[in-house]
């Protein structure tokens, strides 16, 4: 860094030059603010303004508890990285960035499932050795009964067990689009979709959408311009926008997929929040659709079990990938999950979460302008920031107030065209008081000018 008297503008100019000539490579961690201020003989606020200028320009990004880094985040990450204190329930950080459903404690339900599975293992009813990559027949049958709500008539032979929904997505991508064809998805999508495609080296093609979700004409246009093997869809509670597709949109997209010869990966991870949802792609076009589901949202991430469900002709290829990458899901975890899928405590938990999200949605609607009530049912809020803010600048300023949010570029296939919006997750923070305090802090920030944050001292 430079020496001598420094201003926010001179520091930012110096750093921009280093980024331009690649002296500062992407991923480089900039010096901590107080350390840089001491070296330069200026106030910490001066360095903070310089760093914020880089963030606003899209040349750097901040990670709570870690610092400021040159360039964008690692595109292989499934969600924004956590700070070192995020696992601490006493942390001052109010985390709306990573989507989870911890507002109602799942530990009693999980503990009962684990205790039963361990007891069955002790009695020799759960194997301690290797099992089939697809999972034991009884576990596949339990999943088939549960998932029949979205794929009627599901047979155990059509089900694979995976290490969560992300594992199912990865395996489906590698099996169905790993031989030259690309993947079509929403222009703003779940970061795990982007991360899996990047890790596999598969081209990802963004499809424009509207108020009803992915547009059929835009999907058709993408297929005309590129070689596309499959399309990823989230018909209910699309992440990050919260949009749920009307039935006509689902049918029209299925028609395009059939005409273009596309396989469909249908992510229903938030299906438990929409019990009265319209039939999805697994009902409309079952012959070309693989349904993906997992227990990390409806139960908790500690129960890392997921499922891929589809025609045996497709499932066979996905099973081969799972065999090569993970061998099998632990029978102990699978047994716990199978029991839990059939317990009344699971739908009761889903009902409690839906009620809690509805209450929190009302709180958000009263304080944050621009939100739409019908897009909050899934516990996700896609919030457009005021005109004189950028999404990254807003997220950086929110972090200084102890609130984590996710800027839109985390979700965009083409980050440079990301809208000026942030995603908020309404069910992650367990404590109601902390949730409200965090939302109140964001409401205060929404009422302030973003330009004022860049004024030099």
């Amino acid at each position: 860094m430079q020496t001598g008297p420094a201003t926010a503008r001179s520091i930012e100019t110096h750093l921009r030059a280093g980024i331009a000539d690649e002296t500062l490579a992407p991923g480089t961690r900039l010096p901590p603010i107080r350390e840089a201020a001491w070296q330069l003989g200026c106030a910490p606020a001066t360095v903070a303004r310089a760093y914020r200028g880089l963030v606003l320009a899209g040349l750097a990004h901040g990670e709570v508890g870690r610092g400021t880094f040159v360039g964008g985040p690692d595109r292989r990450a499934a969600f924004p990285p956590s700070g070192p204190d995020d696992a601490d329930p006493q942390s001052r950080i109010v985390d709306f960035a990573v989507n989870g459903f911890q507002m109602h404690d799942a530990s009693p339900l999980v503990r009962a499932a684990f205790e039963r599975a361990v007891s069955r293992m002790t009695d020799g009813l759960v194997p301690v050795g290797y099992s089939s990559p697809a999972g034991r027949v009884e576990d596949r049958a339990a999943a088939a009964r549960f998932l029949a709500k979205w794929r009627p008539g599901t047979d155990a032979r059509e089900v694979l067990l995976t290490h969560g929904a992300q594992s199912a997505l990865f395996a489906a991508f590698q099996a169905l689009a790993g031989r030259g064809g690309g993947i079509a998805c929403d222009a703003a999508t779940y970061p795990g979709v982007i991360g899996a495609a990047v890790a596999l080296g598969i081209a990802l093609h963004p499809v424009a959408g509207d108020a009803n979700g992915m547009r059929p004409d835009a999907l058709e246009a993408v297929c005309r311009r590129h070689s596309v093997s499959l399309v990823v869809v989230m018909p209910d509670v699309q992440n990050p926008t919260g949009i749920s597709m009307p039935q006509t949109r689902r049918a029209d997209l299925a028609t395009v997929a059939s005409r273009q010869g596309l396989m469909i990966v249908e992510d229903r991870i938030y299906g438990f929040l929409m019990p009265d949802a319209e039939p999805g792609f697994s009902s409309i076009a079952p012959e070309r659709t693989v349904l993906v589901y997992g227990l990390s949202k409806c139960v908790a991430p500690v129960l890392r079990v997921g499922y891929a469900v589809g025609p045996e002709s497709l499932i066979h290829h996905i099973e081969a990938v799972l065999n090569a990458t993970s061998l099998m899901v632990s029978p102990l975890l699978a047994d716990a999950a199978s029991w839990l899928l059939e317990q009344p405590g699971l739908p009761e938990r889903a009902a409690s979460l839906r009620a809690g999200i509805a209450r929190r949605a009302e709180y958000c609607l009263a304080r944050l302008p621009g939100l739409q009530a019908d897009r909050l049912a899934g516990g996700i809020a896609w919030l457009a920031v005021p005109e004189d803010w950028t999404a990254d600048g807003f997220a950086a300023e929110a972090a200084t107030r102890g609130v984590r949010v996710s800027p839109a570029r985390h979700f965009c296939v083409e980050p440079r065209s990301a809208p000026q919006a942030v995603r908020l997750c309404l069910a992650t923070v367990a404590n109601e008081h902390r949730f409200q305090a965090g939302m109140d802090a964001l409401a205060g920030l929404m009422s302030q000018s973003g330009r004022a944050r860049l004024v030099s001292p």
Side-chain angles (χ1 to χ4, degrees):
M1 299 203 41
Q2 70 180 44
T3 59
T7 65
R9 180 170 296 179
S10 68
I11 297 171
E12 183 181 342
T13 299
H14 176 77
L15 293 172
R16 281 176 177 262
I19 293 170
D21 66 16
E22 298 187 349
T23 303
L24 294 172
T28 300
R29 182 177 183 271
L30 298 179
I33 288 174
R34 292 189 180 279
E35 178 182 319
W38 180 81
Q39 292 177 353
L40 297 173
C42 64
T46 302
V47 178
R49 272 187 281 272
Y51 285 7
R52 192 171 293 123
L54 296 176
V55 171
L56 290 171
L59 298 175
H61 70 282
E63 298 178 8
V64 176
R66 295 186 179 188
T68 303
F69 296 79
V70 173
D74 188 341
R75 300 290 281 170
R76 294 169 296 179
F79 40 73
S82 300
D85 296 329
D86 289 356
D88 180 2
Q90 302 303 318
S91 170
R92 69 178 184 87
I93 299 297
V94 180
D95 191 352
F96 296 135
V98 177
N99 201 23
F101 293 84
Q102 306 306 309
M103 58 192 298
H104 293 294
D105 186 12
S107 58
L109 197 59
V110 175
R111 182 172 59 249
F114 282 172
E115 288 176 350
R116 177 184 179 275
V118 170
S119 175
R120 283 168 49 80
M121 182 183 67
T122 303
D123 293 339
L125 300 175
V126 176
V128 295
Y130 289 106
S131 65
S132 165
R136 296 182 305 157
V137 172
E138 52 264 51
D139 293 323
R140 299 170 75 182
R145 291 190 292 272
F146 179 83
L147 297 168
K149 67 183 75 174
W150 298 307
R151 190 180 179 91
T154 296
D155 185 89
R157 293 171 296 180
E158 299 175 320
V159 179
L160 296 175
L161 271 68
T162 67
H163 291 94
Q166 182 65 29
S167 173
L169 284 174
F170 188 94
F173 289 0
Q174 188 166 11
L176 306 180
R179 301 183 184 276
I183 298 173
C185 67
D186 290 291
T189 189
Y190 165 55
V193 170
I194 299 172
V198 169
L200 290 167
I202 299 174
L204 202 59
H205 304 295
V207 182
D210 57 22
N212 291 323
M214 182 184 291
R215 286 175 20 218
D217 64 315
L219 176 59
E220 195 115 50
V222 165
C223 291
R224 287 196 297 266
R225 293 194 302 270
H226 305 283
S227 173
V228 180
S229 296
L230 65 84
V231 57
V232 184
V233 291
M234 295 187 75
D236 297 310
V237 189
Q238 196 272 345
N239 185 4
T241 64
I243 293 174
S244 292
M245 295 179 185
Q247 189 61 26
T248 52
R249 178 58 55 88
R250 303 173 194 221
D252 290 344
L253 284 170
T255 298
V256 172
S258 178
R259 185 161 54 238
Q260 295 293 336
L262 304 180
M263 297 297 103
I264 302 170
V265 174
E266 180 180 23
D267 186 343
R268 294 299 284 265
I269 193 72
Y270 299 112
F272 70 100
L273 295 173
M274 308 292 286
D276 300 320
E278 301 285 354
F281 294 86
S282 292
S283 295
I284 301 170
E287 74 285 354
R288 64 179 59 253
T289 301
V290 172
L291 172 69
V292 168
Y293 193 72
L295 303 183
S296 62
K297 306 301 183 186
C298 66
V299 183
V302 69
L303 191 59
R304 201 73 193 152
V305 178
Y307 308 97
V309 191
E312 286 189 70
S313 58
L314 301 182
I315 288 299
H316 174 73
H317 296 294
I318 299 174
E319 182 181 0
V321 173
L322 292 172
N323 185 37
T325 56
S326 60
L327 292 182
M328 67 174 196
V329 173
S330 164
L332 188 68
L333 280 178
D335 191 74
S338 296
W339 177 80
L340 201 151
L341 288 177
E342 299 182 331
Q343 298 309 300
L346 189 58
E348 289 169 4
R349 173 175 169 76
S352 296
L353 288 171
R354 289 193 295 270
I357 289 170
R359 289 193 301 272
R360 290 188 172 187
E362 289 183 8
Y363 195 89
C364 293
L365 288 168
R367 286 158 180 80
L368 300 176
L371 295 178
Q372 299 180 40
D374 62 348
R375 296 190 185 181
L376 301 181
I380 294 172
W382 189 235
L383 178 68
V385 302
E387 290 184 1
D388 56 357
W389 281 101
T390 65
D392 284 285
F394 186 90
E397 186 62 28
T400 68
R401 303 180 182 210
V403 181
R404 288 185 79 219
V405 300
S406 298
R409 62 181 167 79
H410 284 299
F411 308 92
C412 292
V413 179
E414 297 176 345
R416 292 185 179 181
S417 61
Q420 300 307 327
V422 297
R423 190 197 68 174
L424 316 177
C425 302
L426 309 187
T428 301
V429 178
N431 182 275
E432 201 71 24
H433 174 74
R434 294 187 73 230
F435 166 81
Q436 293 182 3
M439 285 298 169
D440 290 347
L442 293 180
L445 192 54
M446 289 284 286
S447 67
Q448 296 185 11
S449 171
R451 301 183 194 279
R453 319 308 301 180
L454 292 178
V455 177
S456 298

